[in-house]
Amino acid sequence: MTVENDTATCRNRFVDLRQRADLTEDTRRALSAMAHVRRYHSGQTVLFDGDDSDLVGNVISGVLRMQKTLADGRQHIVGLLVEGDMFGRVFNGALHFSVEAATDAEICAYPRAPFEKLLTRSPDLERVVMLNILNELDRARDWLIILSSQKITTRIAGFLVVMCSQFARVDHLVRNSESGPVVHVPIGRGDLAHLLGTRPESVSRAFHALARDGVIALLKPDLIRILDMEALVAEAGDEDLGGTPNLKETLQLRPPRS
Amino acid sequence: MTVENDTATCRNRFVDLRQRADLTEDTRRALSAMAHVRRYHSGQTVLFDGDDSDLVGNVISGVLRMQKTLADGRQHIVGLLVEGDMFGRVFNGALHFSVEAATDAEICAYPRAPFEKLLTRSPDLERVVMLNILNELDRARDWLIILSSQKITTRIAGFLVVMCSQFARVDHLVRNSESGPVVHVPIGRGDLAHLLGTRPESVSRAFHALARDGVIALLKPDLIRILDMEALVAEAGDEDLGGTPNLKETLQLRPPRS
DNA sequence: GCGGCGCATTGTGCGACGTCAATGCGCGGC
DNA sequence: GCCGCGCATTGACGTCGCACAATGCGCCGC
């Protein structure tokens, strides 16, 4: 059983709401009946800020970014959505941020009204959605910790740790060589700077500072090999690694305890 | 109809889960049957980090702080809980932070298992809980925006704006005089510094810088009058004020459209 | 192959925050 | 009323990140 197979299994289980094993056959059928797949190119907007959107959905492939538009026109990224993540408003009004494709992306969309209706009468779906939102909340709080530091190197290190732990289930963690795991950063320096609340120049400097210290190696601007995970975590402020008690497993790319 | 009466009405509607008008009589009765009120003194721990807690609840009075303990012993506050806020894990495992009383506080606690059971068969409660979590998520994202700036004055300004908008429903917004609203900061400089990811000295400096510019007035360390809301919002980075489209109403302490 | 555009990187000066240390202030105990 | 502790505040100094620019690099269209 290779790493690739595990990853694939993982993806099958989580990526598509309609195929999740923890939903009943009835619920899956009802979801399938109302689902439709949409494709977006990098840069396209999926949902508009303030939009009283009639759409909920989950990401099938690619990366979406959630961003707030400030009054002065600047935009701040408040989170990334990767394969399997849900987005859109359930139950209450307008979005407080817009959702755009950070890469070419595929989503599975559900019209809101029937989705809510199904949600109300399907405890299994309710549970899945609630867990998804709670997970999202945990991720947001992890970001809070990362952003609470104002040393950029710390933020970058925290970002990389989160990429390793949270996104390991999809293929942003490309492969595990003898030198250490290789992380794929799915967004450019500019977006990353927005995400971390800084400037592209500082992001670049922080990456190269970590590289000089032998903590990481920059294979390409968007491909980073982690050489010294321990040092990276220390640089990230010795976080308790929040929602990932099984980080060590993840980093070794062991299959999660099933 | 005075401001105080509106506020009181508001509090009756939201503070206690058992009394919420958007729950059915049956659900309220079931909640009451399993509820028990607990009191905590400032500094006491309500829930421990990593605790596989069997408790969910909501705050009746006072302020709780959610904080992560880092590996090196430092603690970082990831959010505050005020009257009406819910806390605790629904459906899945351990907490990723501890919950402590920031002031003397009263909570209404429910044992987790029966609460979840009730949740599964009560769409009205499900909706209330889900909205609560979504609200929490929005608040976390507002914090993300605030923390994404590393200018401390901006963070402080953002904090004050959030205090005005999000906590206006409880009495942290003390009163509205001719000179402007007065905000009660329910935590000390040290905690505030933890919350904003900085040091008490910098918090102090930022407050006094805003005071020098005539934006706020420091009545007491924990009592702040907003003299120039427009300047404060501008200083906060011209945020779109996230989840508070009715901020202007709130700041004028008008009753919300019912 | 060539040119152009966008993105990443590198260099420099200035301003802001952290650190360390000292002082002021308020409140509760005695 | 007095004392002492904890918290808030203020000051001096070093470091780090931002602003502003310039340069290098890769990719795409022509």
Side-chain angles (χ1 to χ4, degrees), chain B residues 80-186:
Chain B
L80 298 178
L81 296 164
V82 297
E83 301 172 28
D85 287 329
M86 296 192 60
F87 60 90
R89 271 299 191 198
V90 188
F91 282 141
N92 73 338
L95 235 61
H96 300 146
F97 48 83
S98 63
V99 178
E100 296 188 8
T103 67
D104 288 353
E106 243 177 341
I107 68 165
C108 183
Y110 306 93
R112 193 172 114 180
F115 186 86
E116 287 182 1
K117 212 164 175 180
L118 180 64
L119 190 59
T120 302
R121 59 182 163 82
S122 311
D124 55 338
L125 181 59
E126 172 207 327
R127 191 189 158 98
V128 166
V129 169
M130 181 111 48
L131 287 178
N132 196 291
I133 298 174
L134 285 170
N135 178 41
E136 197 89 17
L137 190 53
D138 280 336
R139 274 166 52 182
R141 293 217 169 98
D142 285 340
W143 278 115
L144 279 185
I145 298 291
I146 290 173
L147 289 181
S148 68
S149 155
Q150 52 272 79
K151 190 142 167 255
I152 302 299
T153 311
T154 303
R155 295 190 183 193
I156 292 283
F159 168 76
L160 289 175
V161 172
V162 167
M163 286 298 292
C164 285
S165 57
Q166 302 279 14
F167 292 171
R169 58 191 165 88
V170 294
D171 58 3
H172 298 293
L173 199 62
V174 175
R175 60 211 159 90
N176 195 359
S177 75
E178 66 291 339
S179 324
V182 175
V183 176
H184 175 227
V185 179

Side-chain angles (χ1 to χ4, degrees), chain B residues 150-153 197-199 201-202 205 220:
Chain B
Q150 52 272 79
K151 190 142 167 255
I152 302 299
T153 311
T198 181
R199 299 286 149 197
E201 300 95 319
S202 299
R205 278 186 250 269
K220 295 206 298 181

Side-chain angles (χ1 to χ4, degrees), chain A residues 19-207:
Chain A
Q19 293 172 19
R20 286 186 61 127
D22 44 3
L23 292 178
T24 64
E25 186 59 33
D26 276 353
T27 304
R28 288 199 296 251
R29 235 195 312 270
L31 282 172
S32 293
M34 68 174 82
H36 53 281
V37 172
R38 292 184 181 180
R39 271 170 250 278
Y40 292 90
H41 289 296
S42 173
Q44 285 187 302
T45 301
V46 178
L47 292 173
F48 288 93
D49 189 0
D51 202 357
D52 201 341
S53 168
D54 281 334
L55 185 75
V56 298
N58 69 76
V59 182
I60 302 294
S61 70
V63 178
L64 306 184
R65 57 172 184 253
M66 300 175 279
Q67 53 190 9
K68 290 206 181 203
T69 304
L70 307 186
D72 59 7
R74 281 175 305 127
Q75 303 213 310
H76 256 302
I77 297 178
V78 294
L80 298 178
L81 296 164
V82 297
E83 301 172 29
D85 288 329
M86 296 192 61
F87 59 89
R89 271 298 192 199
V90 188
F91 283 142
N92 73 339
L95 235 62
H96 300 146
F97 48 84
S98 62
V99 178
E100 295 187 7
T103 66
D104 289 351
E106 243 178 342
I107 69 165
C108 182
Y110 307 92
R112 192 172 115 180
F115 186 86
E116 287 182 2
K117 211 166 177 180
L118 180 64
L119 190 60
T120 301
R121 58 183 165 81
S122 310
D124 55 337
L125 181 60
E126 172 206 328
R127 191 188 158 98
V128 167
V129 169
M130 189 142 352
L131 286 178
N132 195 289
I133 298 173
L134 285 169
N135 178 40
E136 197 89 16
L137 191 53
D138 280 336
R139 274 166 52 182
R141 294 217 169 98
D142 285 340
W143 277 115
L144 280 185
I145 299 290
I146 291 174
L147 288 182
S148 68
S149 154
Q150 53 271 80
K151 191 143 167 252
I152 301 300
T153 312
T154 303
R155 296 190 183 195
I156 291 283
F159 168 76
L160 288 175
V161 172
V162 167
M163 286 298 292
C164 285
S165 59
Q166 302 280 12
F167 292 170
R169 57 191 165 89
V170 295
D171 57 2
H172 298 292
L173 199 62
V174 174
R175 60 214 159 89
N176 196 0
S177 75
E178 66 290 339
S179 323
V182 175
V183 175
H184 176 226
V185 179
I187 53 177
R189 291 290 186 272
D191 274 348
L192 190 49
H194 278 306
L195 186 61
L196 298 174
T198 182
R199 300 285 148 196
E201 301 95 314
S202 300
V203 171
S204 187
R205 277 186 249 270
F207 270 127

